[in-house]
Amino acid sequence: MLNPDRFLADLETLRGFGAAGVGKGVVRPAFSDADIAARKWLAARMAEAGLTPQFDPVGNLFGLVEGPSLLLGSHSDSQPEGGWLDGALGVIAALEVARAAREAGGPAVSVVSFQDEEGRFGVTTGSAVWSGTLPMDEADPLTDHAGVTYAVARARMADLAGPFVDPGRFTGYVELHIEQGPVLDTAAEQIGVVTDIVGIRDMKITFAGQQNHAGTTPMHLRRDAFQALAAFNASIAERFRNVVTPASVWSVGHVSLHPNASSIVPGRATFSMQWRDGDADRLNRMEAIVRATAREIAEARGMELSFGPLLGLEPVTMDARLRTALESGAEAVAPGRWRKLPSGALHDATNVAGLMPVAMLFVPSIGGISHDFAEDTANADLVAGLRVLAQAADIVGRGHATR
Amino acid sequence: MLNPDRFLADLETLRGFGAAGVGKGVVRPAFSDADIAARKWLAARMAEAGLTPQFDPVGNLFGLVEGPSLLLGSHSDSQPEGGWLDGALGVIAALEVARAAREAGGPAVSVVSFQDEEGRFGVTTGSAVWSGTLPMDEADPLTDHAGVTYAVARARMADLAGPFVDPGRFTGYVELHIEQGPVLDTAAEQIGVVTDIVGIRDMKITFAGQQNHAGTTPMHLRRDAFQALAAFNASIAERFRNVVTPASVWSVGHVSLHPNASSIVPGRATFSMQWRDGDADRLNRMEAIVRATAREIAEARGMELSFGPLLGLEPVTMDARLRTALESGAEAVAPGRWRKLPSGALHDATNVAGLMPVAMLFVPSIGGISHDFAEDTANADLVAGLRVLAQAADIVGRGHATR
């Protein structure tokens, strides 16, 4: 029997690994002592539930049943200053559903906690390596902000590592996650069934003008790289208008000026330009606008322009059969209090989609807050998410049984 | 007799202290080994010229003659990556003029190299302490970027230090400096006689909005601190139009976003807003616009707003008598190839103006470049500056003699 109290107690226990001491926050980055300890505890909890724990060479932890099974899970690593539910919720809910299914004699459910979803070494590296998106020899030289390589970090778990798990044993993947945005909370709804995970484009852009004395250089003789960035930012907002939808987003989140001193006209501005949308064509149209606008600003202002490499992840549409099962579960558990919505955040499901059918469901984030110690969700909503996940696993399992 | 070769040779020797090995550049920050060695060499050179060298408790080095005298000089410390002429030119030209005057039996000229004009510990700290603008007990706790205090730094020269020199012995102060801007070089002129040193206002401004996930937060729900900065920057340029002159300048030279990550909507933007003008009223009108604009942007965009302390230095008008002497010298040395112009850069003369009449003259900076290893000036222009300084000292000395 699905046991909400056991589920909430396990969530609470997991929070103890790397507890920040600030609200419910956690500090449990991939391959940290707290992360490894949490994964060992999870493996023991899986074994107690009758699952066979197996670590792979990059720290992903599976809890396996015999034969073909539906894979449920998420990740148990956190941001450097993370919330207690991001990833953890999906892992512990998967554990509870698999455990209840063992007790009930079906359906066949396995569990996964992917490693480094939060991108200490890149973007969702654990599921990226497992799914073949990121070759191991490209992953190993990646470094974190302190210069530690992925190879050195994953060696910390070498004593636990077995072989990679064959993805062929799984019939599909379903991930429960917090929304990390304000939509469900604002609408007082309990469940979001994800339609697709948006695609992303991200690149660094650099304008190089002329570094000058901020007292002696007349305004009309300046080639101020910050002013070029400001002009680019304004022009992009104007030109995107004809292309974007209300679901499109874009951000200048990182800015680095050189030499970044109040008395010196900035000679160089490097900044991040990131945009996300559910439609691959629109992502490409936005890219064309970004590049053309940067070129025009650079030309008009006498700047040298350079583009960094483009990070691109394509939009992923959720599998229709799995999504329908989630919608049935949502209507049963929270009638009239759920909706379909896209995921603006990346998830391991994007990588897993290359291997098998995937689907996702969300529960509300209070105030839309995530990647922050203040991240939280009402217990009633956590349990609603658990119940929908269990119902969907039942529906999918019955479908298998009757085929 | 004024000896241009001796002057150029001394300039070259001084460049050897802290030579960067990149072009003619120097690395000779205040109180560094290279700076202290250069000052000891300067003191010896002063003694050879018949001047009495005297260090004061903050590392300012004077070369004194008996009785009342005109003080000439500048500073011999450099930026962390500095040019070879910034400060050094004024000191070595002063040394040559004083030396030639000793040899010729007049006029009475003393020499100074102020310490830390480049502001390792603040703004022109050596002349600020000497002039009483900056009390010693406020200066001593100041720190450089590495956390070293002024007290610890100046203790490195304690074995050289005598008492402070009485400013009452000087009849005026004249400083030769490179322009550090493009005006003279663009016009192919040799000499600029400074009319006034502009005043400066500088403060840090912080917009605090809401840090959010850059994928899951819809554009219309964002309170993006970088967007607030961009809007402020655009609005200021618009509103300043009715107030400024072509000589007014303003800069956003420093920007710091938090958390400064490409996938996170910036929750906080701290930036420097600096403006300079020769007119104190205009500086105040510009300040009112800066504050009002920041408030309006903050209110319209749901930002918390905070202003850091306002750094303010008032504009200083050059002394009419000293300036007239420089103009006569300029017309004699470079007929038709000189102009009057304001100084957009700060100089020790701003502090010294509180003690005695001051004036300044400029020689061209090739390409307007300064605070850079590439800083340079043609030898003919360096010598022209030396000759104008010597003529002005003569004119002023004769004025004293005949009074």
Side-chain angles (χ1 to χ4, degrees), chain A residues 180 202 215-216 222 227 233 250-251 253-255 260 262-263 274 344, chain B residues 180 202 215-216 219 222 227 233 250-251 253-255 260 262-263 274 344:
Chain A
Q180 305 183 279
D202 190 326
T216 59
R222 295 184 176 196
Q227 294 301 326
N233 179 68
W250 64 95
S251 311
H254 171 92
V255 171
N260 210 28
S262 60
S263 287
Q274 183 187 93
Chain B
Q180 305 184 279
D202 191 325
T216 59
M219 298 305 283
R222 294 183 178 198
Q227 294 302 326
N233 178 69
W250 65 96
S251 311
H254 172 92
V255 170
N260 210 27
S262 59
S263 287
Q274 183 187 95

PDB file of all heavy atoms in Angstrom, chain A residues 180 202 215-216 222 227 233 250-251 253-255 260 262-263 274 344, chain B residues 180 202 215-216 219 222 227 233 250-251 253-255 260 262-263 274 344:
ATOM      1  N   GLN A 180       9.148  24.583 -10.018  1.00  0.00           N
ATOM      2  CA  GLN A 180      10.226  25.594 -10.052  1.00  0.00           C
ATOM      3  C   GLN A 180       9.783  26.880 -10.732  1.00  0.00           C
ATOM      4  O   GLN A 180      10.632  27.672 -11.162  1.00  0.00           O
ATOM      5  CB  GLN A 180      11.490  25.053 -10.757  1.00  0.00           C
ATOM      6  CG  GLN A 180      12.008  23.767 -10.148  1.00  0.00           C
ATOM      7  CD  GLN A 180      13.285  23.299 -10.821  1.00  0.00           C
ATOM      8  OE1 GLN A 180      13.246  22.697 -11.884  1.00  0.00           O
ATOM      9  NE2 GLN A 180      14.417  23.567 -10.199  1.00  0.00           N
ATOM     10  N   ASP A 202      22.000  28.881 -25.567  1.00  0.00           N
ATOM     11  CA  ASP A 202      22.746  29.699 -24.608  1.00  0.00           C
ATOM     12  C   ASP A 202      24.106  29.960 -25.211  1.00  0.00           C
ATOM     13  O   ASP A 202      24.776  29.034 -25.668  1.00  0.00           O
ATOM     14  CB  ASP A 202      22.900  28.924 -23.286  1.00  0.00           C
ATOM     15  CG  ASP A 202      23.439  29.786 -22.148  1.00  0.00           C
ATOM     16  OD1 ASP A 202      24.251  30.683 -22.396  1.00  0.00           O
ATOM     17  OD2 ASP A 202      23.040  29.529 -20.993  1.00  0.00           O
ATOM     18  N   GLY A 215      37.435  60.046 -17.276  1.00  0.00           N
ATOM     19  CA  GLY A 215      37.387  61.495 -17.095  1.00  0.00           C
ATOM     20  C   GLY A 215      37.805  62.266 -18.329  1.00  0.00           C
ATOM     21  O   GLY A 215      37.309  63.357 -18.580  1.00  0.00           O
ATOM     22  N   THR A 216      38.719  61.699 -19.093  1.00  0.00           N
ATOM     23  CA  THR A 216      39.350  62.466 -20.170  1.00  0.00           C
ATOM     24  C   THR A 216      38.843  62.097 -21.560  1.00  0.00           C
ATOM     25  O   THR A 216      39.252  62.707 -22.535  1.00  0.00           O
ATOM     26  CB  THR A 216      40.872  62.243 -20.152  1.00  0.00           C
ATOM     27  OG1 THR A 216      41.125  60.846 -20.319  1.00  0.00           O
ATOM     28  CG2 THR A 216      41.472  62.708 -18.843  1.00  0.00           C
ATOM     29  N   ARG A 222      33.935  57.796 -27.335  1.00  0.00           N
ATOM     30  CA  ARG A 222      34.007  56.530 -26.611  1.00  0.00           C
ATOM     31  C   ARG A 222      33.549  55.347 -27.448  1.00  0.00           C
ATOM     32  O   ARG A 222      32.640  55.471 -28.256  1.00  0.00           O
ATOM     33  CB  ARG A 222      33.137  56.596 -25.351  1.00  0.00           C
ATOM     34  CG  ARG A 222      33.640  57.610 -24.364  1.00  0.00           C
ATOM     35  CD  ARG A 222      32.806  57.594 -23.081  1.00  0.00           C
ATOM     36  NE  ARG A 222      33.395  58.522 -22.121  1.00  0.00           N
ATOM     37  CZ  ARG A 222      33.119  58.534 -20.827  1.00  0.00           C
ATOM     38  NH1 ARG A 222      32.238  57.669 -20.328  1.00  0.00           N
ATOM     39  NH2 ARG A 222      33.709  59.383 -20.032  1.00  0.00           N
ATOM     40  N   GLN A 227      27.899  50.094 -22.978  1.00  0.00           N
ATOM     41  CA  GLN A 227      26.831  50.754 -23.732  1.00  0.00           C
ATOM     42  C   GLN A 227      26.394  49.908 -24.929  1.00  0.00           C
ATOM     43  O   GLN A 227      25.218  49.912 -25.309  1.00  0.00           O
ATOM     44  CB  GLN A 227      27.265  52.153 -24.168  1.00  0.00           C
ATOM     45  CG  GLN A 227      27.481  53.120 -23.003  1.00  0.00           C
ATOM     46  CD  GLN A 227      26.240  53.319 -22.144  1.00  0.00           C
ATOM     47  OE1 GLN A 227      25.114  53.293 -22.629  1.00  0.00           O
ATOM     48  NE2 GLN A 227      26.431  53.477 -20.841  1.00  0.00           N
ATOM     49  N   ASN A 233      20.700  44.730 -25.630  1.00  0.00           N
ATOM     50  CA  ASN A 233      19.621  44.260 -24.757  1.00  0.00           C
ATOM     51  C   ASN A 233      18.285  44.922 -25.114  1.00  0.00           C
ATOM     52  O   ASN A 233      17.250  44.259 -25.181  1.00  0.00           O
ATOM     53  CB  ASN A 233      20.007  44.556 -23.303  1.00  0.00           C
ATOM     54  CG  ASN A 233      18.943  44.142 -22.315  1.00  0.00           C
ATOM     55  OD1 ASN A 233      18.697  42.958 -22.134  1.00  0.00           O
ATOM     56  ND2 ASN A 233      18.299  45.120 -21.692  1.00  0.00           N
ATOM     57  N   TRP A 250      13.791  34.803 -22.352  1.00  0.00           N
ATOM     58  CA  TRP A 250      15.199  35.059 -22.647  1.00  0.00           C
ATOM     59  C   TRP A 250      15.812  35.858 -21.513  1.00  0.00           C
ATOM     60  O   TRP A 250      15.099  36.581 -20.803  1.00  0.00           O
ATOM     61  CB  TRP A 250      15.385  35.766 -23.989  1.00  0.00           C
ATOM     62  CG  TRP A 250      14.799  37.138 -24.077  1.00  0.00           C
ATOM     63  CD1 TRP A 250      15.440  38.330 -23.869  1.00  0.00           C
ATOM     64  CD2 TRP A 250      13.438  37.483 -24.390  1.00  0.00           C
ATOM     65  NE1 TRP A 250      14.583  39.380 -24.039  1.00  0.00           N
ATOM     66  CE2 TRP A 250      13.357  38.897 -24.356  1.00  0.00           C
ATOM     67  CE3 TRP A 250      12.293  36.735 -24.687  1.00  0.00           C
ATOM     68  CZ2 TRP A 250      12.154  39.578 -24.612  1.00  0.00           C
ATOM     69  CZ3 TRP A 250      11.113  37.417 -24.936  1.00  0.00           C
ATOM     70  CH2 TRP A 250      11.047  38.814 -24.903  1.00  0.00           C
ATOM     71  N   SER A 251      17.109  35.716 -21.326  1.00  0.00           N
ATOM     72  CA  SER A 251      17.775  36.297 -20.162  1.00  0.00           C
ATOM     73  C   SER A 251      19.215  36.687 -20.475  1.00  0.00           C
ATOM     74  O   SER A 251      19.915  35.958 -21.169  1.00  0.00           O
ATOM     75  CB  SER A 251      17.837  35.282 -19.009  1.00  0.00           C
ATOM     76  OG  SER A 251      16.583  34.700 -18.776  1.00  0.00           O
ATOM     77  N   GLY A 253      21.849  36.810 -17.957  1.00  0.00           N
ATOM     78  CA  GLY A 253      22.027  36.465 -16.538  1.00  0.00           C
ATOM     79  C   GLY A 253      23.433  36.709 -16.044  1.00  0.00           C
ATOM     80  O   GLY A 253      23.661  36.887 -14.858  1.00  0.00           O
ATOM     81  N   HIS A 254      24.386  36.708 -16.978  1.00  0.00           N
ATOM     82  CA  HIS A 254      25.804  36.861 -16.619  1.00  0.00           C
ATOM     83  C   HIS A 254      26.383  38.042 -17.375  1.00  0.00           C
ATOM     84  O   HIS A 254      26.216  38.148 -18.594  1.00  0.00           O
ATOM     85  CB  HIS A 254      26.582  35.590 -16.977  1.00  0.00           C
ATOM     86  CG  HIS A 254      28.064  35.733 -16.834  1.00  0.00           C
ATOM     87  ND1 HIS A 254      28.733  35.420 -15.677  1.00  0.00           N
ATOM     88  CD2 HIS A 254      29.009  36.181 -17.695  1.00  0.00           C
ATOM     89  CE1 HIS A 254      30.024  35.665 -15.834  1.00  0.00           C
ATOM     90  NE2 HIS A 254      30.223  36.129 -17.056  1.00  0.00           N
ATOM     91  N   VAL A 255      27.043  38.937 -16.671  1.00  0.00           N
ATOM     92  CA  VAL A 255      27.733  40.071 -17.291  1.00  0.00           C
ATOM     93  C   VAL A 255      29.113  40.208 -16.677  1.00  0.00           C
ATOM     94  O   VAL A 255      29.259  40.158 -15.443  1.00  0.00           O
ATOM     95  CB  VAL A 255      26.955  41.396 -17.087  1.00  0.00           C
ATOM     96  CG1 VAL A 255      27.785  42.596 -17.546  1.00  0.00           C
ATOM     97  CG2 VAL A 255      25.625  41.363 -17.831  1.00  0.00           C
ATOM     98  N   ASN A 260      36.222  46.710 -15.380  1.00  0.00           N
ATOM     99  CA  ASN A 260      35.195  46.749 -14.330  1.00  0.00           C
ATOM    100  C   ASN A 260      35.562  47.703 -13.195  1.00  0.00           C
ATOM    101  O   ASN A 260      35.446  47.359 -12.024  1.00  0.00           O
ATOM    102  CB  ASN A 260      34.934  45.340 -13.786  1.00  0.00           C
ATOM    103  CG  ASN A 260      33.495  45.166 -13.294  1.00  0.00           C
ATOM    104  OD1 ASN A 260      32.580  45.829 -13.787  1.00  0.00           O
ATOM    105  ND2 ASN A 260      33.299  44.302 -12.319  1.00  0.00           N
ATOM    106  N   SER A 262      35.164  51.882 -11.797  1.00  0.00           N
ATOM    107  CA  SER A 262      34.233  52.998 -11.973  1.00  0.00           C
ATOM    108  C   SER A 262      34.855  54.143 -12.769  1.00  0.00           C
ATOM    109  O   SER A 262      34.129  54.894 -13.410  1.00  0.00           O
ATOM    110  CB  SER A 262      33.726  53.484 -10.618  1.00  0.00           C
ATOM    111  OG  SER A 262      34.795  53.926  -9.818  1.00  0.00           O
ATOM    112  N   SER A 263      36.182  54.276 -12.766  1.00  0.00           N
ATOM    113  CA  SER A 263      36.838  55.383 -13.462  1.00  0.00           C
ATOM    114  C   SER A 263      37.360  55.002 -14.836  1.00  0.00           C
ATOM    115  O   SER A 263      38.151  55.742 -15.408  1.00  0.00           O
ATOM    116  CB  SER A 263      37.999  55.921 -12.620  1.00  0.00           C
ATOM    117  OG  SER A 263      37.507  56.647 -11.521  1.00  0.00           O
ATOM    118  N   GLN A 274      20.646  33.837 -23.241  1.00  0.00           N
ATOM    119  CA  GLN A 274      20.000  32.521 -23.203  1.00  0.00           C
ATOM    120  C   GLN A 274      18.545  32.674 -23.586  1.00  0.00           C
ATOM    121  O   GLN A 274      17.894  33.624 -23.153  1.00  0.00           O
ATOM    122  CB  GLN A 274      20.105  31.932 -21.788  1.00  0.00           C
ATOM    123  CG  GLN A 274      19.524  30.538 -21.698  1.00  0.00           C
ATOM    124  CD  GLN A 274      19.476  30.004 -20.264  1.00  0.00           C
ATOM    125  OE1 GLN A 274      18.478  30.146 -19.580  1.00  0.00           O
ATOM    126  NE2 GLN A 274      20.563  29.406 -19.827  1.00  0.00           N
ATOM    127  N   GLY A 344       9.655  24.714 -18.456  1.00  0.00           N
ATOM    128  CA  GLY A 344      10.661  25.698 -18.847  1.00  0.00           C
ATOM    129  C   GLY A 344      12.047  25.321 -18.359  1.00  0.00           C
ATOM    130  O   GLY A 344      13.043  25.872 -18.816  1.00  0.00           O
TER     131      GLY A 344
ATOM    132  N   GLN B 180      46.309  62.416 -21.101  1.00  0.00           N
ATOM    133  CA  GLN B 180      45.506  61.216 -20.836  1.00  0.00           C
ATOM    134  C   GLN B 180      44.186  61.224 -21.594  1.00  0.00           C
ATOM    135  O   GLN B 180      43.254  60.498 -21.228  1.00  0.00           O
ATOM    136  CB  GLN B 180      45.234  61.032 -19.335  1.00  0.00           C
ATOM    137  CG  GLN B 180      46.494  61.006 -18.488  1.00  0.00           C
ATOM    138  CD  GLN B 180      46.197  60.739 -17.033  1.00  0.00           C
ATOM    139  OE1 GLN B 180      45.817  61.649 -16.313  1.00  0.00           O
ATOM    140  NE2 GLN B 180      46.345  59.515 -16.591  1.00  0.00           N
ATOM    141  N   ASP B 202      30.706  60.125  -7.747  1.00  0.00           N
ATOM    142  CA  ASP B 202      30.792  58.689  -8.024  1.00  0.00           C
ATOM    143  C   ASP B 202      30.026  57.974  -6.933  1.00  0.00           C
ATOM    144  O   ASP B 202      30.247  58.234  -5.756  1.00  0.00           O
ATOM    145  CB  ASP B 202      32.267  58.259  -8.018  1.00  0.00           C
ATOM    146  CG  ASP B 202      32.489  56.847  -8.552  1.00  0.00           C
ATOM    147  OD1 ASP B 202      31.626  55.980  -8.327  1.00  0.00           O
ATOM    148  OD2 ASP B 202      33.543  56.614  -9.173  1.00  0.00           O
ATOM    149  N   GLY B 215      14.392  29.623 -16.767  1.00  0.00           N
ATOM    150  CA  GLY B 215      13.571  28.825 -17.674  1.00  0.00           C
ATOM    151  C   GLY B 215      12.103  28.835 -17.290  1.00  0.00           C
ATOM    152  O   GLY B 215      11.231  28.771 -18.150  1.00  0.00           O
ATOM    153  N   THR B 216      11.822  28.918 -16.005  1.00  0.00           N
ATOM    154  CA  THR B 216      10.455  28.699 -15.525  1.00  0.00           C
ATOM    155  C   THR B 216       9.738  29.988 -15.139  1.00  0.00           C
ATOM    156  O   THR B 216       8.570  29.952 -14.774  1.00  0.00           O
ATOM    157  CB  THR B 216      10.466  27.785 -14.285  1.00  0.00           C
ATOM    158  OG1 THR B 216      11.270  28.406 -13.273  1.00  0.00           O
ATOM    159  CG2 THR B 216      11.047  26.420 -14.619  1.00  0.00           C
ATOM    160  N   MET B 219       8.325  36.033 -18.610  1.00  0.00           N
ATOM    161  CA  MET B 219       8.900  37.373 -18.716  1.00  0.00           C
ATOM    162  C   MET B 219       8.100  38.385 -17.893  1.00  0.00           C
ATOM    163  O   MET B 219       8.678  39.255 -17.247  1.00  0.00           O
ATOM    164  CB  MET B 219       8.940  37.819 -20.198  1.00  0.00           C
ATOM    165  CG  MET B 219       9.799  36.945 -21.111  1.00  0.00           C
ATOM    166  SD  MET B 219      11.519  36.717 -20.578  1.00  0.00           S
ATOM    167  CE  MET B 219      12.260  38.285 -21.054  1.00  0.00           C
ATOM    168  N   ARG B 222       8.848  38.573 -14.078  1.00  0.00           N
ATOM    169  CA  ARG B 222      10.227  38.767 -13.621  1.00  0.00           C
ATOM    170  C   ARG B 222      10.446  40.133 -12.980  1.00  0.00           C
ATOM    171  O   ARG B 222       9.837  41.112 -13.393  1.00  0.00           O
ATOM    172  CB  ARG B 222      11.193  38.640 -14.809  1.00  0.00           C
ATOM    173  CG  ARG B 222      11.216  37.251 -15.381  1.00  0.00           C
ATOM    174  CD  ARG B 222      12.229  37.130 -16.500  1.00  0.00           C
ATOM    175  NE  ARG B 222      12.250  35.755 -16.980  1.00  0.00           N
ATOM    176  CZ  ARG B 222      13.229  35.224 -17.704  1.00  0.00           C
ATOM    177  NH1 ARG B 222      14.267  35.971 -18.045  1.00  0.00           N
ATOM    178  NH2 ARG B 222      13.187  33.966 -18.071  1.00  0.00           N
ATOM    179  N   GLN B 227      17.804  44.115 -16.040  1.00  0.00           N
ATOM    180  CA  GLN B 227      16.907  44.909 -16.879  1.00  0.00           C
ATOM    181  C   GLN B 227      16.649  46.280 -16.257  1.00  0.00           C
ATOM    182  O   GLN B 227      16.478  47.270 -16.968  1.00  0.00           O
ATOM    183  CB  GLN B 227      15.600  44.156 -17.147  1.00  0.00           C
ATOM    184  CG  GLN B 227      15.789  42.887 -17.996  1.00  0.00           C
ATOM    185  CD  GLN B 227      16.415  43.157 -19.355  1.00  0.00           C
ATOM    186  OE1 GLN B 227      16.177  44.198 -19.969  1.00  0.00           O
ATOM    187  NE2 GLN B 227      17.249  42.229 -19.819  1.00  0.00           N
ATOM    188  N   ASN B 233      20.156  53.082 -17.328  1.00  0.00           N
ATOM    189  CA  ASN B 233      21.221  53.570 -18.212  1.00  0.00           C
ATOM    190  C   ASN B 233      20.646  54.325 -19.407  1.00  0.00           C
ATOM    191  O   ASN B 233      21.135  55.391 -19.781  1.00  0.00           O
ATOM    192  CB  ASN B 233      22.050  52.364 -18.669  1.00  0.00           C
ATOM    193  CG  ASN B 233      23.150  52.749 -19.626  1.00  0.00           C
ATOM    194  OD1 ASN B 233      24.116  53.407 -19.239  1.00  0.00           O
ATOM    195  ND2 ASN B 233      23.017  52.341 -20.883  1.00  0.00           N
ATOM    196  N   TRP B 250      29.908  60.906 -18.314  1.00  0.00           N
ATOM    197  CA  TRP B 250      29.382  59.991 -17.302  1.00  0.00           C
ATOM    198  C   TRP B 250      29.628  58.555 -17.752  1.00  0.00           C
ATOM    199  O   TRP B 250      29.732  58.289 -18.942  1.00  0.00           O
ATOM    200  CB  TRP B 250      27.900  60.244 -17.016  1.00  0.00           C
ATOM    201  CG  TRP B 250      26.976  59.980 -18.159  1.00  0.00           C
ATOM    202  CD1 TRP B 250      26.264  58.849 -18.410  1.00  0.00           C
ATOM    203  CD2 TRP B 250      26.651  60.902 -19.233  1.00  0.00           C
ATOM    204  NE1 TRP B 250      25.520  58.988 -19.564  1.00  0.00           N
ATOM    205  CE2 TRP B 250      25.736  60.226 -20.091  1.00  0.00           C
ATOM    206  CE3 TRP B 250      27.043  62.204 -19.543  1.00  0.00           C
ATOM    207  CZ2 TRP B 250      25.208  60.827 -21.224  1.00  0.00           C
ATOM    208  CZ3 TRP B 250      26.520  62.801 -20.691  1.00  0.00           C
ATOM    209  CH2 TRP B 250      25.614  62.114 -21.509  1.00  0.00           C
ATOM    210  N   SER B 251      29.724  57.648 -16.792  1.00  0.00           N
ATOM    211  CA  SER B 251      30.129  56.282 -17.089  1.00  0.00           C
ATOM    212  C   SER B 251      29.495  55.299 -16.109  1.00  0.00           C
ATOM    213  O   SER B 251      29.408  55.568 -14.914  1.00  0.00           O
ATOM    214  CB  SER B 251      31.656  56.117 -16.951  1.00  0.00           C
ATOM    215  OG  SER B 251      32.345  57.134 -17.635  1.00  0.00           O
ATOM    216  N   GLY B 253      30.995  52.086 -15.247  1.00  0.00           N
ATOM    217  CA  GLY B 253      32.252  51.370 -15.502  1.00  0.00           C
ATOM    218  C   GLY B 253      32.324  50.029 -14.796  1.00  0.00           C
ATOM    219  O   GLY B 253      33.048  49.137 -15.201  1.00  0.00           O
ATOM    220  N   HIS B 254      31.551  49.906 -13.708  1.00  0.00           N
ATOM    221  CA  HIS B 254      31.565  48.678 -12.900  1.00  0.00           C
ATOM    222  C   HIS B 254      30.154  48.109 -12.819  1.00  0.00           C
ATOM    223  O   HIS B 254      29.218  48.836 -12.491  1.00  0.00           O
ATOM    224  CB  HIS B 254      32.081  48.994 -11.498  1.00  0.00           C
ATOM    225  CG  HIS B 254      31.946  47.840 -10.539  1.00  0.00           C
ATOM    226  ND1 HIS B 254      32.949  46.926 -10.341  1.00  0.00           N
ATOM    227  CD2 HIS B 254      30.925  47.448  -9.743  1.00  0.00           C
ATOM    228  CE1 HIS B 254      32.551  46.016  -9.468  1.00  0.00           C
ATOM    229  NE2 HIS B 254      31.320  46.312  -9.082  1.00  0.00           N
ATOM    230  N   VAL B 255      30.014  46.822 -13.106  1.00  0.00           N
ATOM    231  CA  VAL B 255      28.716  46.144 -12.969  1.00  0.00           C
ATOM    232  C   VAL B 255      28.950  44.806 -12.284  1.00  0.00           C
ATOM    233  O   VAL B 255      29.858  44.057 -12.651  1.00  0.00           O
ATOM    234  CB  VAL B 255      28.057  45.895 -14.345  1.00  0.00           C
ATOM    235  CG1 VAL B 255      26.840  44.987 -14.203  1.00  0.00           C
ATOM    236  CG2 VAL B 255      27.654  47.210 -14.997  1.00  0.00           C
ATOM    237  N   ASN B 260      24.849  36.092 -11.136  1.00  0.00           N
ATOM    238  CA  ASN B 260      25.692  36.183 -12.338  1.00  0.00           C
ATOM    239  C   ASN B 260      25.853  34.828 -13.030  1.00  0.00           C
ATOM    240  O   ASN B 260      26.965  34.438 -13.386  1.00  0.00           O
ATOM    241  CB  ASN B 260      27.065  36.771 -11.973  1.00  0.00           C
ATOM    242  CG  ASN B 260      27.686  37.551 -13.134  1.00  0.00           C
ATOM    243  OD1 ASN B 260      26.970  38.081 -13.987  1.00  0.00           O
ATOM    244  ND2 ASN B 260      29.001  37.595 -13.178  1.00  0.00           N
ATOM    245  N   SER B 262      24.120  32.243 -16.158  1.00  0.00           N
ATOM    246  CA  SER B 262      23.331  32.404 -17.378  1.00  0.00           C
ATOM    247  C   SER B 262      21.919  31.855 -17.244  1.00  0.00           C
ATOM    248  O   SER B 262      21.017  32.302 -17.933  1.00  0.00           O
ATOM    249  CB  SER B 262      24.048  31.756 -18.569  1.00  0.00           C
ATOM    250  OG  SER B 262      24.251  30.382 -18.337  1.00  0.00           O
ATOM    251  N   SER B 263      21.711  30.894 -16.337  1.00  0.00           N
ATOM    252  CA  SER B 263      20.391  30.277 -16.188  1.00  0.00           C
ATOM    253  C   SER B 263      19.573  30.860 -15.043  1.00  0.00           C
ATOM    254  O   SER B 263      18.573  30.285 -14.650  1.00  0.00           O
ATOM    255  CB  SER B 263      20.531  28.767 -15.961  1.00  0.00           C
ATOM    256  OG  SER B 263      20.900  28.123 -17.157  1.00  0.00           O
ATOM    257  N   GLN B 274      29.227  57.264 -12.381  1.00  0.00           N
ATOM    258  CA  GLN B 274      30.201  58.338 -12.159  1.00  0.00           C
ATOM    259  C   GLN B 274      29.967  59.442 -13.172  1.00  0.00           C
ATOM    260  O   GLN B 274      29.717  59.163 -14.339  1.00  0.00           O
ATOM    261  CB  GLN B 274      31.625  57.794 -12.318  1.00  0.00           C
ATOM    262  CG  GLN B 274      32.689  58.840 -12.038  1.00  0.00           C
ATOM    263  CD  GLN B 274      34.095  58.357 -12.351  1.00  0.00           C
ATOM    264  OE1 GLN B 274      34.617  58.585 -13.429  1.00  0.00           O
ATOM    265  NE2 GLN B 274      34.704  57.668 -11.402  1.00  0.00           N
ATOM    266  N   GLY B 344      39.934  66.605 -17.410  1.00  0.00           N
ATOM    267  CA  GLY B 344      38.886  65.651 -17.035  1.00  0.00           C
ATOM    268  C   GLY B 344      39.370  64.651 -16.012  1.00  0.00           C
ATOM    269  O   GLY B 344      38.575  63.954 -15.389  1.00  0.00           O
TER     270      GLY B 344
END
